[in-house]
Amino acid sequence: MTADREFSTFVRAPANIAWIKYWGKKGPQLPANPSLSLTLKECATETELVATPAKDLAVELFFDGIHQEKFRDKTRQHIELLAALHPRLARFHYLIRTHNTFPHSSGIASSASSSAALGLALSRLLEAHGEVADAGSFARLGSGSACRSLHGGFALWGETPLVKGSSDLHAVDVNAHVHGDFQGTRDTVLIVSRREKELSSRLGHAQMDQHPYAQGRNAQALGNLQRLWKALASGDWASAGEVIENEALSLHALMFAAHPGVVLLEPNTLEIIRLVRMFRAESKLPIYFTIDAGPNVHLLYPASAQLKVEPFIRHELLPFTDQKSGVIWDCAGEGAS
Ligand code: PMV
């Protein structure tokens, strides 16, 4: 067995936005249904990790140059989980400097990008010691959706007969299946509110265990995945968009109907949805919304529509966003490196 030795690495992992939502788990961080996402370009976590051999596990973490106990404890838990599978990981002192390229609490899932970054860094540490490590599983054990961030463009997580080699353990790259101008998809993120989330995704997933609509949700997600899969193969924005919006609204419908019911949408979220649909009907341009577990809206459209969509967003939608953070202009990106 290779002796432990000092190791350092720098990784960058982007955020991703789900078009088919993962909501509800089974087993050890395995998804109740398959999900499909687009990895972003600009919104990312950058992490430098220096691991020094030590008797016991220790973690020191700086976020934006400042000691951050909450993130340190979360990171430590993630490492402990992985160390139960790979004991070597418990024999290091980790010095971690991490930073997000997007505003904290902007509603962009920083847990996905940060867990992907940490998972990738730790898998590299093991590989440097001659051990085999699955970065996707490592990321997933920190935050489920993180495993999709390792891949660029479109990634699918969860076993489905639609995709050979698909797995509940990690995500797979499905870009070869995607045609038309989906590859250059623009994602403009409208920050409606920067308030801390009232519902952690852990709690949200747990609510699905006893949810009255759990079975129906599963069937819906599988049907939506099939429809989206077909649309992606034929470059059909209208069909894809219908599914994407249905997934976003269904995610929130599940939260409304949970015990206790959770309302994360803000009045301005609803106003943005209304305006987007009106603009789409009038302009006939393919612009669709999706929303994660929060009030902020992701606007998805092909690069070819950008020239006409941008003035609409600036003039009609920005008044409904948080004045300080407002908007992030992002697009499909390349995955973790
Ligand atoms: O990866 P988690 O546990 O933060 O859950 C992500 C849940 C959603 O963002 C709402 C949907 C998804 O698939 O990303």
Side-chain angles (χ1 to χ4, degrees):
M1 198 163 99
T2 322
D4 300 339
R5 54 174 191 266
E6 175 144 339
F7 172 84
S8 68
T9 187
F10 177 82
V11 291
R12 182 180 198 277
N16 71 74
I17 177 71
W19 292 19
I20 300 291
K21 309 289 183 187
Y22 146 60
W23 201 238
K25 304 184 194 200
K26 60 181 187 202
Q29 193 90 321
L30 302 173
N33 63 269
S35 57
L36 192 147
S37 63
L38 178 74
T39 294
L40 302 185
K41 185 175 175 189
E42 305 297 343
C43 297
T45 297
E46 295 171 339
T47 297
E48 183 196 358
L49 176 144
V50 180
T52 314
K55 211 163 126 278
D56 299 306
L57 172 68
V59 180
E60 200 178 349
L61 185 139
F62 295 88
F63 180 76
D64 279 341
I66 297 167
H67 259 291
Q68 256 280 1
E69 283 173 22
K70 201 170 123 201
F71 289 164
R72 181 204 57 202
D73 295 347
K74 246 190 103 188
T75 300
R76 192 188 163 101
Q77 277 169 18
H78 189 176
I79 299 175
E80 279 171 350
L81 241 151
L82 298 174
L85 308 168
H86 298 269
R88 187 191 297 274
L89 293 176
R91 302 197 302 261
F92 284 93
H93 171 197
Y94 298 93
L95 173 62
I96 298 171
R97 290 176 210 280
T98 185
H99 151 83
N100 288 341
T101 62
F102 49 98
H104 177 50
S105 295
S106 64
I108 301 272
S110 63
S111 62
S113 55
S114 58
S115 294
L118 183 66
L120 182 60
L122 294 172
S123 69
R124 280 187 181 165
L125 184 157
L126 289 179
E127 281 162 6
H129 287 82
E131 287 188 37
V132 179
D134 173 18
S137 294
F138 277 29
R140 186 195 96 239
L141 287 165
S143 155
S145 59
C147 66
R148 299 188 308 240
S149 278
L150 295 176
H151 303 281
F154 292 89
L156 176 130
W157 169 39
E159 207 176 320
T160 159
L162 288 175
V163 184
K164 213 171 147 221
S166 57
S167 166
D168 284 348
L169 299 176
H170 52 235
V172 293
D173 180 324
V174 292
N175 289 291
H177 175 82
V178 180
H179 290 95
D181 49 8
F182 284 117
Q183 289 293 353
T185 296
R186 299 296 188 255
D187 180 359
T188 302
V189 191
L190 300 176
I191 317 293
V192 170
S193 163
R194 302 194 314 153
R195 243 189 297 144
E196 282 279 341
K197 280 205 285 187
E198 286 158 48
L199 174 79
S200 69
S201 51
R202 189 148 61 92
L203 216 77
H205 291 295
Q207 284 191 329
M208 288 307 291
D209 291 344
Q210 305 296 326
H211 200 289
Y213 302 161
Q215 264 191 346
R217 165 57 192 158
N218 203 264
Q220 179 197 35
L222 298 180
N224 274 347
L225 177 62
Q226 264 176 10
R227 273 192 288 281
L228 179 63
W229 195 242
K230 208 169 136 209
L232 290 176
S234 57
D236 178 353
W237 265 94
S239 304
E242 203 278 321
V243 171
I244 293 167
E245 293 191 350
N246 179 258
E247 279 290 301
L249 296 175
S250 300
L251 172 70
H252 285 270
L254 290 167
M255 292 182 218
F256 289 175
H259 291 285
V262 180
V263 181
L264 298 181
L265 302 178
E266 298 274 345
N268 282 351
T269 316
L270 301 179
E271 191 54 17
I272 289 170
I273 291 176
R274 193 180 70 80
L275 291 169
V276 168
R277 288 185 156 175
M278 223 162 75
F279 174 75
R280 187 169 69 227
E282 282 164 9
S283 68
K284 309 274 182 266
L285 289 170
I287 171 170
Y288 297 89
F289 66 83
T290 184
I291 308 172
D292 259 349
N296 304 319
V297 182
H298 291 245
L299 297 174
L300 301 165
Y301 50 94
S304 57
Q306 185 165 356
L307 219 63
K308 289 189 179 144
V309 160
E310 216 182 289
F312 159 68
I313 294 176
R314 284 192 193 283
H315 299 130
E316 308 285 324
L317 302 184
L318 290 198
F320 297 97
T321 60
D322 178 280
Q323 292 311 305
K324 279 203 208 90
S325 355
V327 62
I328 301 172
W329 301 90
D330 211 335
C331 62
E334 292 205 325
S337 57

